[in-house]
Amino acid sequence: MALLDGKVIVVTGAKGNLGAAMISTALSEGATVIGLDYAQIDFQADKFEGFSGVDLTDVEATTAAFAQIHTKYGRVDGLANIAGGFCWQTLADGEPNSWDKMFRINVVTASNACRAALPALIKAAGKIVNIGAAGATKAGAGFGPYAASKAGVAKLTESLAEECKTQNVCVNAVLPSVIDTPLNRSDMPDADFSSWVSPQQLSDVLCFLLSSKADSITGALLPVTGRV
């Protein structure tokens, strides 16, 4: 039996490289997948539906999207919170509003999606997996706004896991290093790409954490760092 056979999985950030990889992997593992993104989703496949134009930084818009999903599909078994963003800037030369922007893109999107999905996930004894960052545990120069926001994702994960322990909802996060995407290759052309984590490798871990094989794992912050 496939890891996610018969499960309904919601993937935020569906338009991005990791989101698209996650959708493909979850479909191959037997799931019905709903993708959410503010951008236009052009991914098409059987057992997949894309919800474009969803502003996950807005509580009402997020709640409405999940209500529509539950009305149509009747359940939500898993949530992969992939929506997010990155910026590199030093404190001295950077834009002050970048701190708020990173918080909203990385923490607020995850918290809004978790809140909206939670009633359905409690009924299904479901699972949440958030995307943190290895760099949040030891931030380098220029990583301040991004690392601070991803540290927030880690603490959201730990806190919600404790909150949901008696409700049979598992909440975990993965902490990737550099993900092998075209943009990262363009930004770091001299790096050893083979040492990075591919979207497919990270998606495999996400699918495992969303499956029944991870029923005993909650509150974990799992490094997925390749050989970086």
Side-chain angles (χ1 to χ4, degrees):
M1 181 181 293
L3 275 177
L4 302 177
D5 194 39
K7 295 187 181 297
V8 176
I9 303 296
V10 178
V11 177
T12 72
K15 176 69 173 180
N17 289 283
L18 179 56
M22 178 59 192
I23 290 166
S24 294
T25 304
L27 289 170
S28 72
E29 291 291 353
T32 296
V33 183
I34 298 95
L36 302 181
D37 208 304
Y38 188 71
Q40 182 64 38
I41 299 170
D42 49 17
F43 186 97
Q44 295 184 356
D46 291 339
K47 298 177 68 176
F48 171 77
E49 181 175 5
F51 282 53
S52 303
V54 180
D55 181 1
L56 293 170
T57 68
D58 182 271
V59 174
E60 292 183 359
T62 307
T63 302
F66 276 88
Q68 187 176 351
I69 291 167
H70 194 267
T71 298
K72 182 168 184 177
Y73 293 92
R75 61 185 295 148
V76 175
D77 298 284
L79 169 63
N81 272 320
I82 296 176
F86 173 80
C87 75
W88 187 99
Q89 61 179 35
T90 61
L91 183 65
D93 299 324
E95 294 292 332
N97 65 1
S98 293
W99 293 79
D100 180 65
K101 180 179 178 181
M102 285 292 99
F103 184 84
R104 291 185 61 78
I105 290 175
N106 291 320
V107 183
V108 173
T109 58
S111 64
N112 283 347
C114 287
R115 183 185 296 107
L118 202 53
L121 290 170
I122 290 171
K123 290 180 181 179
K127 295 179 171 64
I128 296 169
V129 185
N130 297 319
I131 305 295
T137 62
K138 175 63 176 177
F143 277 76
Y146 172 75
S149 68
K150 287 299 189 179
V153 172
K155 295 308 166 185
L156 167 66
T157 300
E158 292 176 336
S159 178
L160 188 56
E162 290 295 316
E163 183 180 330
C164 294
K165 268 186 174 179
T166 61
Q167 298 170 308
N168 294 319
V169 175
C170 296
V171 187
N172 297 292
V174 294
L175 309 181
S177 54
V178 184
I179 302 175
D180 188 2
T181 65
L183 179 59
N184 283 337
R185 288 193 177 206
S186 175
D187 288 343
M188 295 173 276
D190 297 325
D192 178 7
F193 306 145
S194 67
S195 68
W196 294 353
V197 177
S198 73
Q200 179 62 61
Q201 290 169 329
L202 191 52
S203 297
D204 288 340
V205 177
L206 294 174
C207 285
F208 169 77
L209 290 172
L210 290 169
S211 77
S212 60
K213 291 185 179 295
D215 282 348
S216 62
I217 304 173
T218 194
L221 306 176
L222 180 64
V224 187
T225 56
R227 297 189 303 280
V228 173

